[in-house]
Amino acid sequence: MGPNIGYIRVSTIDQNSDRQLDGIHLDQRFEDKVSGSSTKRPKLKECLNFLRSGDTLHVHSMDRLARNLKDLQGIVEDLTAKGITVKFHKENLEFTNDSNAMSKLMLQIMGAVAEFERSLIRERQAEGIQKAKQKGKHLGRKAVLNDTQVQELCRMVTDGMQKKDVADHFGISRQTLYRILKDQQNKG
């Protein structure tokens, strides 16, 4: 049996990855701090390129490795075809190149359940956002400029000042400037 390789993913920089694969001896570890929905997971790509036949890839849970069921199946099938063992600790599942039909079924079932859970979380999140909006709560970032500054910004643009200079004056990007102007036009 070859080296034990770990792949760890947390969704944000603030999240702590210590609980994932805690107590598992790893010869090498790769850690991403990105959303699972992102296709840009540089450490996963590095990990997949690093793995060799005989290695064991340890992952805390299926949802840490893949974005959806299709992605999960593809990664596991590619790795096991190369002689790499894939072990999911939370689900207590292990896949090898000689996995049987029952193992493949378990991968599909558990992957589908994980995908379903993520869908439920997104639905609950959307419902929570909708309820907050109905209650008049402000969502998102705090406004960059106050009402007086927005009025001054609009006046400067109307007076013909270059938009780049207006954005620099207020310390905002041109994209923010254009968004503010669009918001004012829609109000008005």
Side-chain angles (χ1 to χ4, degrees), residues 65-179:
L65 182 64
R67 297 175 293 130
N68 53 45
L69 180 57
K70 182 179 176 185
D71 193 28
L72 176 67
Q73 282 181 275
I75 292 171
V76 171
E77 287 173 6
D78 287 349
L79 293 175
T80 56
K82 294 175 185 173
I84 299 162
T85 299
V86 181
K87 185 165 183 163
F88 297 104
H89 290 269
K90 182 179 175 187
E91 294 86 358
N92 196 26
L93 294 172
E94 186 173 299
F95 299 93
T96 63
N97 60 350
D98 62 345
S99 292
N100 59 26
M102 183 58 88
S103 294
K104 289 179 182 177
L105 176 63
M106 287 303 296
L107 175 67
Q108 292 172 345
I109 290 171
M110 297 302 288
V113 168
E115 192 172 315
F116 178 68
E117 284 177 348
R118 282 191 299 279
S119 295
L120 289 177
I121 289 168
R122 282 193 299 272
E123 282 181 22
R124 286 193 297 266
Q125 185 180 31
E127 288 171 4
I129 290 169
Q130 187 62 36
K131 285 182 181 181
K133 283 181 180 178
Q134 288 171 351
K135 291 180 180 178
K137 293 189 177 180
H138 176 76
L139 301 172
R141 277 180 66 181
K142 185 180 173 191
V144 176
L145 303 177
N146 62 36
D147 290 342
T148 305
Q149 291 171 315
V150 169
Q151 289 173 1
E152 184 182 352
L153 177 146
C154 291
R155 183 190 52 74
M156 293 167 85
V157 170
T158 303
D159 289 348
M161 191 170 178
Q162 292 288 319
K163 289 182 176 117
K164 179 190 179 311
D165 295 335
V166 175
D168 289 345
H169 174 78
F170 287 101
I172 60 175
S173 68
R174 280 186 288 171
Q175 183 179 355
T176 300
L177 173 97
Y178 287 116
R179 192 189 78 249

Side-chain angles (χ1 to χ4, degrees), residues 7 9 34 62 103 116 143:
Y7 176 70
R9 184 188 60 76
V34 295
M62 291 178 170
S103 294
F116 178 68

